[in-house]
């Protein structure tokens, strides 16, 4: 493994060809000797599994700007989602699924309409108790804690159905019905034996590639010091808001902050106002006085 890493890091150096420009050397990334997802072994001895894993590590590795931003965000959002996953009994490796879904961008929206850290579709969000009211500018798919709870419930349902966390991860991408239909047609019950749409065939390997890079960034050429990771935004207090007509900018001013900083903590607010006809009470995170000061002290 040490030799692989040494060879791999050559891509960071440059080489000059006669009569040509300067080019970075490119090498294949180091492959792990063994690997697990949620306690389930990845059969890297199979050529197709090995090559799929190698492909996704390479893709993730060389999407430099997106990958490094995802890594920088990891400590900020893992601090929120990991305790919730533990509470629900969802294995810790599923935080890498969250990375694969959104790049840990809490405001991510896909072309298909999935939203938030966990990229939940509107119907799925409502099914699992999230308020999705884009007409009035409020969408709890962007609520980090509530969307994490919804994702955990979805994953647990899939695990109970398939008896495999790897298949539950695949079903998060292709749907329980899509995975079950193909398992029945092909007569197999293992993700690594299953022929699926290309996106889902690559999906678990993408998650695994993010696991490897997150756990060993330096081995894959990503040099990030401990104080360069973005720190959790935990300097806040919680207030209740239940007005029938909520003006979020006014709420911010009344609590000594700005609309911009309110949105940093409450991504589920999607507009300036909310028509709260039902009188629902919202738990709002409000920044404390020192919230905006860089926690890394830069």
């Amino acid at each position: 493994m040490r030799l692989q890493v040494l060879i791999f890091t050559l891509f960071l150096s440059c080489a000059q060809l006669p009569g040509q420009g300067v080019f970075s050397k490119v090498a294949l990334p180091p492959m792990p000797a063994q690997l697990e997802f949620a306690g389930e072994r990845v059969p890297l001895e199979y050529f197709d599994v090995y090559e799929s894993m190698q492909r996704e590590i390479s893709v993730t590795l060389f999407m430099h700007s997106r990958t490094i931003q995802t890594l920088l965000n990891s400590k900020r959002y893992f601090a929120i989602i990991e305790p919730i996953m533990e509470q629900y009994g969802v294995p810790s490796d599923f935080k890498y699924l969250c990375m694969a879904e959104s790049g840990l961008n809490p405001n991510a929206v896909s072309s298909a309409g999935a939203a938030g850290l966990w990229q939940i579709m509107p119907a799925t969000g409502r099914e699992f108790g999230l308020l999705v009211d884009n007409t009035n500018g409020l969408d709890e798919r962007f609520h980090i804690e509530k969307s994490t709870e919804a994702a955990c419930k979805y994953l647990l349902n899939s695990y109970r159905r398939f008896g495999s966390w790897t298949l539950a991860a695949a079903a998060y991408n292709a749907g329980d019905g899509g995975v079950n239909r193909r398992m029945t047609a092909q007569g197999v019950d293992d993700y690594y034996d299953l022929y699926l749409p290309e996106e889902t065939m690559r999906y678990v390997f993408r998650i695994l590639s993010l696991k490897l890079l997150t756990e060993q960034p330096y081995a894959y050429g990503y040099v990030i010091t401990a104080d360069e990771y973005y720190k959790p935004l935990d300097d806040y207090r919680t207030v209740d808001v239940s007005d029938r007509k909520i003006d979020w900018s006014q709420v911010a001013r009344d609590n000594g902050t700005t609309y911009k900083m309110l949105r940093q903590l409450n991504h589920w607010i999607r507009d300036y106002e909310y028509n709260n006809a039902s009188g629902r009470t919202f738990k709002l995170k409000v920044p404390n006085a020192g919230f905006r000061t860089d926690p890394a002290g830069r």
Side-chain angles (χ1 to χ4, degrees):
M1 179 67 175
R2 184 177 300 174
L3 179 60
Q4 280 185 297
V5 172
L6 180 62
I7 295 171
F8 170 69
T9 54
L10 287 174
F11 90 91
L12 296 172
S13 64
C14 293
Q16 177 109 34
L17 298 177
Q20 310 245 351
V22 177
F23 298 92
S24 294
K25 291 183 178 179
V26 179
L28 289 171
M31 287 286 287
Q34 55 188 17
L35 188 59
E36 289 185 349
F37 175 73
E40 298 174 5
R41 181 175 170 274
V42 180
L44 291 171
E45 68 274 14
Y46 297 163
F47 83 88
D48 54 310
V49 172
Y50 186 94
E51 291 172 9
S52 295
M53 189 70 252
Q54 187 176 65
R55 172 184 180 177
E56 293 310 314
I57 296 176
S58 299
V59 170
T60 301
L61 181 66
F62 289 105
M63 291 194 302
H64 295 116
S65 59
R66 176 181 170 88
T67 298
I68 200 164
Q69 193 65 37
T70 303
L71 292 173
L72 289 172
N73 271 322
S74 61
K75 296 191 185 301
R76 173 170 294 175
Y77 295 112
F78 285 177
I80 301 173
I81 69 175
E82 281 191 293
I84 298 172
M85 292 166 57
E86 183 177 3
Q87 176 188 344
Y88 277 85
V90 171
S92 179
D93 276 354
F94 278 91
K95 63 180 178 280
Y96 305 117
L97 179 148
C98 188
M99 295 179 90
E101 284 288 337
S102 63
L104 293 182
N105 172 8
N107 290 306
V109 179
S110 77
S111 58
L117 281 183
W118 294 91
Q119 289 293 278
I120 297 172
M121 294 295 287
T124 304
R126 294 187 182 99
E127 179 185 351
F128 287 91
L130 301 181
L131 177 59
V132 182
D133 188 1
N134 288 312
T135 302
N136 284 312
L138 196 149
D139 192 336
E140 289 182 337
R141 293 178 299 159
F142 296 96
H143 192 298
I144 296 171
E145 291 86 352
K146 290 186 178 181
S147 67
T148 301
E149 291 180 354
C152 286
K153 292 173 185 175
Y154 186 99
L155 290 165
L156 286 169
N157 284 350
S158 297
Y159 179 70
R160 282 191 285 266
R161 181 170 188 173
F162 298 116
S164 160
W165 287 115
T166 309
L167 285 170
Y172 198 88
N173 178 260
D176 283 4
V179 170
N180 188 65
R181 184 169 62 253
R182 290 172 174 87
M183 287 174 61
T184 301
Q186 297 170 41
V188 297
D189 59 4
D190 188 304
Y191 171 80
Y192 302 103
D193 292 332
L194 195 57
Y195 187 85
L196 292 158
E198 183 178 4
E199 181 182 343
T200 311
M201 297 249 306
R202 297 179 61 180
Y203 187 67
V204 170
F205 296 106
R206 188 185 319 146
I207 295 167
L208 288 167
S209 73
L210 286 162
K211 174 180 178 175
L212 289 171
L213 264 70
T214 302
E215 293 180 350
Q216 306 174 67
Y218 189 78
Y220 292 92
Y222 282 81
V223 182
I224 309 173
T225 62
D227 65 352
E228 288 176 326
Y229 286 94
Y230 297 155
K231 303 300 185 291
L233 299 176
D234 53 11
D235 186 16
Y236 64 83
R237 62 192 186 279
T238 302
V239 302
D240 290 344
V241 179
S242 57
D243 299 338
R244 296 298 177 119
K245 183 78 170 179
I246 302 175
D247 180 336
W248 295 114
S249 295
Q250 186 62 52
V251 170
R253 290 191 294 272
D254 290 345
N255 285 278
T257 189
T258 65
Y259 177 75
K260 179 181 180 180
M261 289 300 102
L262 208 62
R263 289 284 296 264
Q264 287 284 337
L265 286 173
N266 305 277
H267 302 280
W268 47 273
I269 297 173
R270 308 307 293 176
D271 208 339
Y272 290 110
E273 297 179 343
Y274 180 66
N275 182 16
N276 188 25
S278 64
R280 180 171 176 165
T281 298
F282 296 98
K283 299 288 184 183
L284 188 72
K285 294 179 182 178
V286 175
N288 291 325
F291 172 78
R292 205 173 185 184
T293 303
D294 189 338
R298 290 183 287 262

